[in-house]
Amino acid sequence: MVPQSIFASLMFLPNVAFAQIPQTFWPASVPLVLKSPYLQAWLPTWHTINPPAVTAPRFWTAEKVLGWGGYMRIDDVNYQWLGTNGPGNKTSLMNTIITPTQSIFTIQAGPLEVNITFLSPIEPHDLVLQSFPFAYYFIEFAATDGQAHKVQLYSDIAGGWVSENDASLLLQWNTTQTLEAVYHCISRKDKADRTLQEVNDGAEDGAVYFGMAMRPGLTWQTGSDSAVRTQFNNSGTLTGLQTGTTDKDRPVLAISVDLGSVESTSEPVLWAIGLV
Ligand SMILES: *[C@@H]1O[C@H](CO)[C@@H](O)[C@H](O)[C@H]1NC(C)=O
Ligand SMILES: *[C@@H]1O[C@H](CO)[C@@H](O)[C@H](O)[C@H]1NC(C)=O
Ligand SMILES: *[C@@H]1O[C@H](CO)[C@@H](O)[C@H](O)[C@H]1NC(C)=O
Ligand SMILES: *[C@@H]1O[C@H](CO)[C@@H](O)[C@H](O)[C@H]1NC(C)=O
């Protein structure tokens, strides 16, 4: 038997009981996705105490930046909640909770308190589910001023999820839209020649899926990061267009949701990411 105290010491629960005290201690890196040796994302905390919107999420080895963005427009003002270097006002981090399966950031974005939960499920009683190479992240928010606000949510992934960040490598991608879901799929163009090959511990023969269950207000777009992120920044909705199928300007694959005018989320807005 593992004593409960040992198990508890593995969990990092900094501010649960002291929610108003600013956080002063950080682990070196916060896990965001932790599903297989090839499907991992970590948020280094070395520069800052405001991780989700000022530090680029990385793979677990080397310095590989994955390319991962998150934005939300509130009353036509764009805020960044994940990734770096995009358009949008900064958000502030209020709290972080890390459990064995989830990392939960509470941020303040303008008038909204927003919880961003990164979930890598552990399902020991169902080996089929446990082997499913997908992780999830979802957003819930509530207005701190008690008013309804126009809210649009956005997230994208980039080519770093599927191969080394080398601009000379060609990628291919496509988008599938059904009545139930929208999902993007991206791989190296020469995936078939890369069977069982790794670069810096990453799988070069994988296909990465990024999707969301169909819901009102869902739009998607793929293309260069500046084109797609500017489209969201300026209008809060995406074009439903795929720009190119192979491109040395590593693309982003984006999915956004326009929630209309709301005071809080009635159900979480959830993205799924997998590497097959
Ligand atoms: C957004 O940021 C700009 C400058 O970076 C600032 O002037 C503006 O007031 C901010 N807007 C909001 C709503 O915070
Ligand atoms: C965010 O999470 C905290 C801690 O679990 C909870 O107290 C709060 O109600 C949540 N806020 C929203 C908007 O879901
Ligand atoms: C969609 O793209 C993925 C990843 O590149 C590829 O494996 C798949 O064959 C493509 N599907 C179609 C229908 O082109
Ligand atoms: C983003 O939107 C704001 C306000 O709508 C605008 O001032 C800014 O120039 C836009 N940024 C980009 C990169 O388009």
Side-chain angles (χ1 to χ4, degrees):
M1 282 293 284
V2 177
Q4 184 62 29
S5 60
I6 292 179
F7 184 67
S9 73
L10 296 174
M11 305 199 330
F12 176 62
L13 296 168
N15 288 338
V16 177
F18 309 103
Q20 301 310 313
I21 299 175
Q23 185 161 329
T24 55
F25 169 74
W26 289 93
S29 212
V30 175
L32 302 182
V33 169
L34 198 47
K35 200 57 195 177
S36 83
Y38 299 128
L39 183 60
Q40 301 206 13
W42 295 80
L43 195 64
T45 60
W46 58 65
H47 320 101
T48 175
I49 57 161
N50 189 13
V54 287
T55 313
R58 283 153 205 259
F59 192 57
W60 69 278
T61 53
E63 286 295 293
K64 183 165 117 174
V65 170
L66 293 166
W68 199 5
Y71 298 88
M72 58 194 304
R73 281 174 109 243
I74 305 166
D75 298 327
D76 303 325
V77 177
N78 195 18
Y79 295 84
Q80 185 163 19
W81 52 265
L82 184 68
T84 51
N85 296 332
N89 280 36
K90 293 300 172 203
T91 48
S92 47
L93 181 66
M94 314 304 286
N95 194 28
T96 307
I97 298 174
I98 301 174
T99 79
T101 58
Q102 298 178 46
S103 293
I104 307 160
F105 299 98
T106 301
I107 63 170
Q108 186 78 32
L112 303 185
E113 179 192 89
V114 183
N115 284 348
I116 311 160
T117 302
F118 294 88
L119 167 67
S120 294
I122 298 174
E123 323 219 38
H125 304 299
D126 187 328
L127 293 178
V128 173
L129 286 179
Q130 180 59 27
S131 67
F132 202 56
F134 275 77
Y136 308 90
Y137 57 107
F138 52 91
I139 284 190
E140 296 160 291
F141 62 78
T144 50
D145 61 3
Q147 306 290 311
H149 298 274
K150 267 167 54 187
V151 180
Q152 292 122 2
L153 303 173
Y154 169 103
S155 187
D156 64 37
I157 63 157
W161 283 88
V162 76
S163 86
E164 201 53 14
N165 274 321
D166 175 345
S168 69
L169 299 180
L170 293 177
L171 302 175
Q172 61 181 10
W173 61 95
N174 51 47
T175 303
T176 304
Q177 179 166 349
T178 70
L179 292 175
E180 283 84 39
V182 165
Y183 57 90
H184 303 296
C185 183
I186 185 167
S187 69
R188 280 181 66 145
K189 191 168 164 47
D190 60 356
K191 170 161 94 84
D193 304 330
R194 297 285 152 193
T195 304
L196 299 181
Q197 290 188 23
E198 292 183 345
V199 175
N200 286 331
D201 298 306
E204 296 289 300
D205 60 352
V208 169
Y209 289 83
F210 181 59
M212 181 181 277
M214 187 51 81
R215 55 184 297 155
L218 187 158
T219 54
W220 62 269
Q221 190 173 345
T222 59
S224 75
D225 59 353
S226 60
V228 177
R229 291 172 180 177
T230 301
Q231 166 70 29
F232 179 76
N233 177 76
N234 294 349
S235 72
T237 163
L238 301 177
T239 61
L241 296 175
Q242 167 166 322
T243 314
T245 48
T246 62
D247 191 348
K248 290 189 180 188
D249 295 339
R250 320 273 290 181
V252 297
L253 315 178
I255 296 176
S256 82
V257 179
D258 185 344
L259 295 171
S261 193
V262 290
E263 206 179 305
S264 62
T265 33
S266 51
E267 55 178 29
V269 174
L270 180 145
W271 291 266
I273 183 161
L275 189 154
V276 177

